[in-house]
Amino acid sequence: MIALLKRDLSLSIRAGGGFGLGLAFFLIVTILVPFGVGPQSDTLRLIAPGILWVGALLACLLSLDRIFALDYEDGSLDLLATAPIPLEAVVAMKALAHWVTTGLPLTLAAPVLAVLLNLQGAGFGWLVLSLLLGTPALSMIGAFGAALTVGLKRGGLLLSLLVLPLYVPTLIFGAESVRRGAQGMATTTPLLLLAGLTLASVALLPFAAAAAIRVNLR
Amino acid sequence: MIALLKRDLSLSIRAGGGFGLGLAFFLIVTILVPFGVGPQSDTLRLIAPGILWVGALLACLLSLDRIFALDYEDGSLDLLATAPIPLEAVVAMKALAHWVTTGLPLTLAAPVLAVLLNLQGAGFGWLVLSLLLGTPALSMIGAFGAALTVGLKRGGLLLSLLVLPLYVPTLIFGAESVRRGAQGMATTTPLLLLAGLTLASVALLPFAAAAAIRVNLR
Amino acid sequence: MELVVNNLSCARGGVPVLERVGFRLTAGQALMLRGPNGIGKTTLLRTLAGLQPALEGQISSPPESIAYAAHADGLKATLSVAENLLFWARIFDTNDITPALEGFDLVDLAGRQAQNLSAGQKRRLGLARLLVTGRPIWMLDEPTVSLDTASVALFGRAVAAHLKTGGAAVIATHIDLGFSAQSLDLTPFRAAPQKLNDFDEAFL
Amino acid sequence: MELVVNNLSCARGGVPVLERVGFRLTAGQALMLRGPNGIGKTTLLRTLAGLQPALEGQISSPPESIAYAAHADGLKATLSVAENLLFWARIFDTNDITPALEGFDLVDLAGRQAQNLSAGQKRRLGLARLLVTGRPIWMLDEPTVSLDTASVALFGRAVAAHLKTGGAAVIATHIDLGFSAQSLDLTPFRAAPQKLNDFDEAFL
Amino acid sequence: MIDLGKYAAAVLSSYGITLLLLAGLIALTLIRGARVRRHLDQLEARRTRNG
Amino acid sequence: MSLWEYANPQKFMRTSQMVLPVLTVLTVLCLTAGLLWGFFLTPEAVNFGSTVKIIYIHVPAALMAINAWLMMLVTSLIWLVRRHHVSALAARAAAPVGLTMTLIALITGAIWGQPMWGTYWAWDPRLTSFLILFLFYLGYIALWEAIENPDAAADLTSVLCLVGSVFALLSRYAVNFWNQGLHQGASLSLDKEENVADVFYLPLLVCIAGFVLLFITLVLLRTRTEVRARRVRALITRERMA
Ligand code: HEM
Ligand SMILES: Nc1ncnc2c1ncn2[C@@H]1O[C@H](COP(=O)(O)OP(=O)(O)OP(=O)(O)O)[C@@H](O)[C@H]1O
Ligand SMILES: Nc1ncnc2c1ncn2[C@@H]1O[C@H](COP(=O)(O)OP(=O)(O)OP(=O)(O)O)[C@@H](O)[C@H]1O
Ligand SMILES: [Mg+2]
Ligand SMILES: [Mg+2]
């Protein structure tokens, strides 16, 4: 299992391995938005928490299909399914690898990009905290969506469509806590809800995802 | 050449073919943004032109790697390169197919999504017009980027990074014309610039892209 | 260590392709699956490997005893030959990849990225993976595709050594592998079209 | 209609693999490329097909005369067999796909999606593509991989018919295809490691 | 005809669009039903003919 | 006789054949009666003017949109546990009907919003959750369409329906937390105090009954088609093998 995590990480760090794909996308979104909405800094300040969270979410969404598709195509998934580790653990490890290569860098990069969007000073801490709590849920939910669509040729569209509504609660709690934090309001409730969401998905979704993969492999 | 266009279109309409991928992504962005920035309709109205254009642009960006990658992987691109039609025409046709399956649906769907973002009534016409003028440039520039990265395993990241700066002028002129239109100001200048950009890229980029593909195949 | 297959039916894409297949394989034996393209060799191997459920019939084998090598090799293009092997070795809890590298003449290529291998070299690497699984029953789907004569001989020797140490192998192939084994032609087991009399049987 | 190759060197991934290859092929002839895995058969075929430039040497052939069939078949998984063929027929301006379907026994499968074919059936479809190109010189890279004996015979007949109508073929293969042709072993042409004496030659 | 006042457009278009959507759904259901049924009958006929 | 016998395709086909004509007649009666009553014979309401007539399609459609999803959830569970094919096919048949209902509720709501709230769309919790429900329907249908093997498709869509239901509930709470709404509260409750006047209430009940009947009829029809389509598939593969 550690081997699997290590492999996934080193694969994604190799040339063109997708490490930084999420990060790059996050960067792209936050850079493009000011070009689109115009450079007025109070408008930007107003929408910064939302845009940052939406950017992080899109960055996750975008890199989801790599979780299983590549292993499916080259036959590794067949081999992993017959290997001595349970498929649930494989799913969990792959979600973890996805988080380490996507969610974690996003969280670390977010404060820098927040400067570009003129986020209020009070919001920075909450931004990092909420991303840290919320991105694992994004990875896990995404892994579930990826498992549902793994057999399909170019399931990318379907994957986004399936995962989008599942992401809504995470996004709302996440962005809300940053917005409240930036305005100096209490953030406990949304953060607690966010943490609960993450825990629940990490605890339950690997089973659903493993079941979906088994169906897709047969 | 018509055969190529037809094949690409029918491939993308088949199950999981990526038709609607762009559209779905556009939908995703415009639906998620309010969840992030909050439900106040005047904030949304303010940022609607920018978000709509950024969404359209991201939707294009996302579907770019399909332009050549799939044909490269299954060997079709090798075969097309040795076929009796010039590679420049292949590139142009593939960019056209990309526009028909991405840019065109985006343009048609934009007004509906603009309702969700509370765009001012005056902006609707300009939104459609600017997208109609601008999305062909997005497809063509994107095809060039895809040609540059076609040989690379998972060139997605690189592709986004390469194409992003090339997209900036299109985005600025496009969003600006909608914003001016929505506020009842004159839109001629940005629209003319947008049209010029599109014409120039359609005229010149196929040659650059074909050269890039030749290099990548050998 | 025994693989017993009894009255097995299996389906591909929801369509039954093979019916009532039965055989028995004990330690030290190899079985060649033969039959024309599309008869269902791949399907049978996948069923035996536990990747898809059987429609009917029993497969009995010791738990976690089967190593499967498909048409696709499961290689990661950007990992080196040694890294690819090492990964599978870790997954299967064996730690030494030298016998595998040596057995398939990959020592010189150990540091090369898998994407820079020729077709035959890739295949050799795919086969070397079997040695690091440490599992007794090998299921091989056309293992010698793209291999030159020397490599086919190498493969023959690897299988022979595996059988000698108490392993077994089921091999689907169209060509002569140059070593003797019992063979099973799947043609007689082709699934007959089922009778569909009323809606009770609407769902194949 | 003649393919003349003279003093050809070619490289793969920036490394020269073959040197001073030369041969001459006229209408009605077939040439088998032989040699161990990794010697450079695929590389040579790609160079001849014009997909990569030669390091040195000349290739002379009539323009647009070469049809190339690689390890990968260039099939679209979601198109049917007939649609796949029809697409290539249109690209190459031939319009009739029936000879190709019949030549490779694909008539029954014509409506099936390519993703639902077995390995050998896919390969037959990949080969059938050659018939719709209408080009005289075929470059085939291990064409009989995954094919059963009957299909190999079918392929042999297709090549024979092609040669009889004035075509030519260069075939890289490891196994015996059951028809006679001149053969060229590439082992002697393996590129010698170059001397790197000074910095001028640092850039291979 | 009843008088809907200044909201006529809203009410009428609501009813119009609803009826249109429902009609479309029903039509699709019936058309696909008929087509599948015809196809099935055809297959069953061929099957009984050929034994 | 147990209820499960209706999951036998043949039994299902026979029974549904018998009840369908009755259901169709009832549907047509209820629906036309309700809609005509609502459209022609009800007065204008104080704050709403004539737009109150939209309620006769808006509310039944909204109710059915939710109930259709509930029905899919139940049938999906039945498929997962008992593996009755008709059950899975019924879920598949219901989805497009539910989607249409959602769309009707959304569109009529949007049209109603313009005169009442001065905007076609506001990010009100009720409206927003409907938008999310719409997306769930789209994803569910797309997944069915994308997978070729029918049993695999049934399995995967059922899993999606289960997980989706949980997340739909979560979203409802999240959206409430996120924004306080403009939308009407539930006034169809049994508590008479809150209820609308009987002149509006009775035709509304008839309309709801009509929509329920319409839903059942359509789902039965569509399930029959799905069963037939499965048999067509079976016969075709049989011919192919012969
Ligand atoms: C797109 C927008 C809308 C959606 C998705 C929507 C959704 C719903 C739903 C789900 C219900 C049923 C709830 C229940 O009975 O508990 C409902 C009921 C209702 N809606 Fe809407 N609605 C929308 C817009 C509007 C607008 C603009 C109005 C008018 C101002 C409106 C007025 C009502 C009324 C009066 C009810 C009945 C409430 C009751 O008595 O229970 N809706 N709507
Ligand atoms: N994904 C699929 N969906 C539906 N049918 C399939 C699918 N894959 C293969 N088939 C069909 O199932 C049958 C058995 O295929 P299988 O791949 O097991 O054959 P095989 O004996 O391995 O053939 P080959 O020697 O060509 O590899 C074939 O007739 C094939 O057309
Ligand atoms: N993309 C690549 N980059 C660098 N080197 C490569 C690449 N692909 C192949 N090679 C190397 O180039 C040499 C020639 O490879 P080529 O594929 O032409 O061999 P081949 O004769 O076709 O072998 P096979 O019979 O196994 O298909 C091999 O030694 C191989 O390792
Ligand atoms: Mg096979
Ligand atoms: Mg080769």
Side-chain angles (χ1 to χ4, degrees):
Chain A
M1 265 160 67
I2 306 295
L4 186 61
L5 182 63
K6 259 163 104 182
R7 180 192 73 153
D8 274 16
L9 293 182
S10 75
L11 273 178
S12 77
I13 291 168
R14 298 291 155 105
F19 181 82
L21 178 65
L23 204 56
F25 198 76
F26 192 32
L27 192 83
I28 290 178
V29 172
T30 37
I31 291 181
L32 286 183
V33 164
F35 283 122
V37 303
Q40 300 78 10
S41 61
D42 36 344
T43 314
L44 288 178
R45 170 163 312 132
L46 198 60
I47 62 174
I51 297 296
L52 286 167
W53 253 93
V54 170
L57 194 149
L58 290 177
C60 264
L61 196 64
L62 199 77
S63 43
L64 285 183
D65 59 346
R66 286 149 191 277
I67 298 187
F68 299 114
L70 296 167
D71 277 345
Y72 178 80
E73 276 157 27
D74 66 14
S76 303
L77 202 55
D78 279 354
L79 303 175
L80 282 174
T82 56
I85 47 180
L87 206 49
E88 285 77 10
V90 171
V91 171
M93 280 301 128
K94 289 200 149 271
L96 179 59
H98 180 261
W99 181 75
V100 173
T101 54
T102 313
L104 191 59
L106 285 180
T107 309
L108 299 178
V112 180
L113 296 176
V115 174
L116 293 183
L117 291 178
N118 295 11
L119 183 69
Q120 265 123 322
F124 280 77
W126 299 117
L127 177 66
V128 173
L129 185 61
S130 71
L131 283 173
L132 206 57
L133 283 176
T135 45
L138 296 184
S139 289
M140 196 60 238
I141 297 172
F144 168 68
L148 280 180
T149 53
V150 68
L152 307 173
K153 283 269 152 203
R154 311 215 221 152
L157 161 63
L158 195 58
L159 177 56
S160 325
L161 196 62
L162 293 182
V163 168
L164 163 67
L166 303 179
Y167 272 180
V168 169
T170 319
L171 172 62
I172 289 181
F173 295 137
E176 189 68 24
S177 58
V178 184
R179 201 162 45 244
R180 295 192 176 189
Q183 292 163 8
M185 290 152 64
T187 57
T188 333
T189 327
L191 281 180
L192 276 183
L193 287 170
L194 197 61
L197 199 65
T198 299
L199 282 182
S201 9
V202 170
L204 301 176
L205 282 179
F207 298 93
I213 290 182
R214 280 201 198 90
V215 171
N216 269 326
L217 282 185
R218 76 180 180 223
Chain B
M1 266 160 66
I2 306 295
L4 187 61
L5 183 63
K6 259 164 102 181
R7 179 192 73 149
D8 274 17
L9 292 182
S10 76
L11 273 178
S12 77
I13 290 169
R14 295 293 155 106
F19 180 83
L21 177 65
L23 201 57
F25 200 74
F26 193 31
L27 190 83
I28 289 176
V29 173
T30 37
I31 291 182
L32 287 184
V33 164
F35 287 129
V37 304
Q40 299 78 11
S41 58
D42 35 345
T43 315
L44 290 175
R45 172 164 309 134
L46 198 62
I47 61 175
I51 296 296
L52 286 167
W53 253 94
V54 169
L57 193 149
L58 290 177
C60 264
L61 198 63
L62 198 77
S63 43
L64 285 182
D65 59 345
R66 288 151 190 277
I67 298 186
F68 299 115
L70 295 165
D71 277 345
Y72 177 80
E73 276 157 27
D74 67 14
S76 302
L77 201 57
D78 279 355
L79 303 174
L80 281 174
T82 56
I85 47 179
L87 206 49
E88 285 77 10
V90 171
V91 170
M93 279 301 126
K94 287 197 150 274
L96 179 58
H98 180 260
W99 182 74
V100 173
T101 54
T102 311
L104 191 60
L106 284 181
T107 310
L108 299 178
V112 179
L113 296 177
V115 173
L116 292 184
L117 291 179
N118 297 75
L119 182 71
Q120 266 122 322
F124 279 76
W126 299 116
L127 177 67
V128 173
L129 186 61
S130 70
L131 283 173
L132 207 58
L133 284 176
T135 44
L138 297 183
S139 289
M140 196 61 238
I141 297 172
F144 168 65
L148 281 179
T149 54
V150 68
L152 311 173
K153 280 267 153 206
R154 313 215 222 153
L157 163 63
L158 195 58
L159 177 56
S160 318
L161 286 180
L162 285 179
V163 168
L164 167 66
L166 303 178
Y167 273 0
V168 169
T170 319
L171 171 63
I172 292 181
F173 296 139
E176 189 65 26
S177 58
V178 182
R179 201 162 43 244
R180 293 193 180 188
Q183 292 164 7
M185 290 153 65
T187 59
T188 333
T189 326
L191 281 180
L192 274 183
L193 287 170
L194 198 61
L197 205 64
T198 299
L199 282 181
S201 24
V202 170
L204 301 177
L205 283 179
F207 299 93
I213 290 183
R214 279 201 199 90
V215 172
N216 271 329
L217 281 186
R218 77 174 176 229
Chain C
M1 217 292 310
E2 207 182 30
L3 173 70
V4 184
V5 172
N6 221 323
N7 190 32
L8 185 73
S9 301
C10 43
R12 181 95 188 128
V15 186
V17 292
L18 290 172
E19 267 178 358
R20 281 190 285 283
V21 181
F23 61 85
R24 171 193 196 93
L25 201 69
T26 53
Q29 286 185 321
L31 178 73
M32 300 287 182
L33 294 181
R34 300 196 171 268
N37 287 141
I39 188 73
K41 298 179 293 299
T42 302
T43 310
L44 179 58
L45 288 178
R46 287 179 66 85
T47 313
L48 293 178
L51 286 168
Q52 52 178 73
L55 280 185
E56 228 181 297
Q58 299 82 40
I59 307 167
S60 88
S61 64
E64 310 223 318
S65 61
I66 293 177
Y68 171 61
H71 285 302
D73 287 321
L75 304 178
K76 289 297 165 188
T78 49
L79 293 184
S80 73
V81 169
E83 285 168 331
N84 266 300
L85 277 181
L86 213 54
F87 166 66
W88 289 112
R90 293 237 183 78
I91 290 286
F92 284 90
D93 266 336
T94 50
N95 281 310
D96 194 10
I97 61 164
T98 19
L101 284 175
E102 280 163 5
F104 284 94
D105 195 13
L106 291 167
V107 181
D108 291 344
L109 299 172
R112 188 93 73 88
Q113 289 203 330
Q115 65 190 341
N116 294 348
L117 298 178
S118 79
Q121 291 161 342
K122 270 188 198 140
R123 194 72 198 174
R124 288 215 302 268
L125 176 53
L127 293 173
R129 194 185 58 82
L130 289 170
L131 290 178
V132 304
T133 60
R135 294 219 166 149
I137 307 180
W138 289 358
M139 303 272 166
L140 310 178
D141 203 348
E142 305 194 43
T144 58
V145 154
S146 306
L147 291 185
D148 60 16
T149 343
S151 307
V152 172
L154 220 54
F155 168 70
R157 257 174 280 141
V159 173
H162 178 65
L163 296 183
K164 202 172 282 163
T165 56
V170 184
I171 307 176
T173 182
H174 295 295
I175 59 172
D176 188 30
L177 296 185
F179 60 87
S180 65
Q182 43 176 322
S183 88
L184 178 71
D185 189 339
L186 291 179
T187 325
F189 302 105
R190 183 196 292 274
Q194 282 167 319
K195 286 199 208 73
L196 287 173
N197 283 325
D198 54 35
F199 272 94
D200 288 351
E201 291 160 22
F203 306 103
L204 286 176
Chain D
M1 218 295 306
E2 207 181 32
L3 173 70
V4 184
V5 173
N6 222 322
N7 190 31
L8 185 73
S9 301
C10 43
R12 182 94 188 129
V15 185
V17 293
L18 289 172
E19 268 179 358
R20 280 189 285 283
V21 181
F23 62 85
R24 170 194 197 94
L25 200 68
T26 54
Q29 286 185 322
L31 178 73
M32 299 288 181
L33 295 180
R34 298 195 172 269
N37 288 140
I39 187 72
K41 298 178 293 300
T42 301
T43 310
L44 179 58
L45 287 178
R46 288 180 65 86
T47 314
L48 294 178
L51 286 169
Q52 54 177 71
L55 280 184
E56 230 183 294
Q58 299 81 40
I59 307 166
S60 90
S61 65
E64 310 221 319
S65 61
I66 293 177
Y68 172 60
H71 286 304
D73 288 321
L75 303 178
K76 290 298 167 189
T78 48
L79 293 184
S80 73
V81 169
E83 285 168 330
N84 265 300
L85 276 180
L86 211 56
F87 166 67
W88 289 110
R90 292 237 183 78
I91 290 288
F92 284 91
D93 268 335
T94 50
N95 279 310
D96 194 7
I97 60 165
T98 18
L101 284 176
E102 280 163 4
F104 284 94
D105 194 14
L106 291 167
V107 181
D108 290 343
L109 300 172
R112 190 93 73 92
Q113 289 201 333
Q115 65 189 343
N116 294 347
L117 298 177
S118 80
Q121 291 162 342
K122 271 188 195 138
R123 193 74 199 171
R124 289 217 300 268
L125 175 54
L127 293 172
R129 194 185 58 83
L130 290 169
L131 290 178
V132 303
T133 61
R135 294 224 167 142
I137 308 181
W138 289 357
M139 303 273 167
L140 310 179
D141 202 349
E142 305 193 45
T144 58
V145 155
S146 307
L147 291 185
D148 60 16
T149 343
S151 307
V152 173
L154 220 57
F155 168 70
R157 258 174 278 142
V159 173
H162 178 64
L163 296 181
K164 202 171 281 165
T165 55
V170 184
I171 306 176
T173 182
H174 295 295
I175 60 170
D176 187 30
L177 296 185
F179 60 87
S180 63
Q182 42 177 322
S183 87
L184 178 71
D185 190 339
L186 291 179
T187 324
F189 303 104
R190 184 197 292 272
Q194 280 167 321
K195 288 195 209 76
L196 288 175
N197 283 327
D198 55 33
F199 273 93
D200 289 352
E201 292 162 22
F203 307 100
L204 299 171
Chain E
M1 199 60 210
I2 61 166
D3 178 25
L4 292 171
K6 59 179 172 170
Y7 298 131
V11 177
L12 287 176
S13 63
S14 301
Y15 274 80
I17 291 175
T18 303
L19 293 182
L20 218 68
L21 280 174
L22 286 182
L25 179 67
I26 293 170
L28 275 181
T29 305
L30 293 179
I31 290 171
R32 173 144 189 274
R35 201 175 48 219
V36 170
R37 176 188 213 138
R38 219 176 313 123
H39 195 175
L40 183 60
D41 288 347
Q42 214 176 343
L43 284 171
E44 299 276 14
R46 205 183 318 164
R47 194 167 65 95
T48 40
R49 206 172 333 114
N50 302 346
Chain F
M1 196 193 78
S2 101
L3 182 65
W4 298 120
E5 278 195 26
Y6 289 95
N8 168 310
Q10 207 176 10
K11 178 95 182 156
F12 170 78
M13 291 304 272
R14 240 184 285 123
T15 323
S16 59
Q17 172 108 51
M18 272 167 6
V19 296
L20 261 177
V22 186
L23 271 177
T24 316
V25 172
L26 277 179
T27 307
V28 172
L29 282 181
C30 243
L31 209 54
T32 39
L35 287 179
L36 290 178
W37 185 357
F39 189 80
F40 289 109
L41 304 177
T42 53
E44 301 192 353
V46 186
N47 293 325
F48 291 97
S50 64
T51 60
V52 76
K53 294 181 193 300
I54 297 178
I55 207 175
Y56 303 111
I57 42 187
H58 178 75
V59 171
L63 287 178
M64 286 328 289
I66 295 170
N67 288 338
W69 185 270
L70 285 181
M71 177 225 146
M72 283 157 55
L73 178 61
V74 172
T75 45
S76 294
L77 274 173
I78 294 178
W79 159 251
L80 283 181
V81 177
R82 305 278 307 230
R83 303 202 81 73
H84 286 306
H85 286 88
V86 176
S87 183
L89 292 182
R92 179 179 193 171
V97 185
L99 182 80
T100 315
M101 294 299 172
T102 316
L103 206 57
I104 290 175
L106 277 173
I107 292 178
T108 52
I111 294 175
W112 203 348
Q114 178 62 24
M116 288 301 112
W117 308 334
T119 173
Y120 284 106
W121 182 263
W123 292 90
D124 166 276
R126 178 100 48 107
L127 278 59
T128 307
S129 4
F130 253 62
L131 190 63
I132 297 172
L133 183 64
F134 181 70
L135 293 174
F136 271 118
Y137 272 120
L138 276 186
Y140 180 87
I141 294 172
L143 192 61
W144 262 111
E145 296 300 324
I147 304 171
E148 227 184 297
N149 183 338
D151 280 0
D155 281 335
L156 294 173
T157 50
S158 299
V159 173
L160 176 69
C161 188
L162 280 184
V163 175
S165 304
V166 174
F167 274 85
L169 269 181
L170 266 175
S171 312
R172 186 83 179 88
Y173 286 114
V175 166
N176 264 332
F177 175 79
W178 169 71
N179 188 19
Q180 274 66 42
L182 298 163
H183 196 281
Q184 248 61 32
S187 47
L188 278 185
S189 58
L190 291 174
D191 178 5
K192 202 66 176 157
E193 292 291 301
E194 285 179 34
N195 272 352
V196 284
D198 281 351
V199 257
F200 304 115
Y201 192 63
L202 291 178
L204 183 55
L205 281 187
V206 180
C207 277
I208 291 177
F211 269 70
V212 171
L213 285 168
L214 177 69
F215 175 76
I216 297 176
T217 314
L218 281 176
V219 169
L220 279 184
L221 269 174
R222 297 180 69 93
T223 311
R224 285 168 64 82
T225 304
E226 296 295 344
V227 172
R228 288 206 178 96
R230 275 300 288 271
R231 184 160 169 88
V232 164
R233 208 186 125 93
L235 290 176
I236 286 178
T237 45
R238 202 188 95 111
E239 279 185 359
R240 204 171 79 194
M241 283 190 300

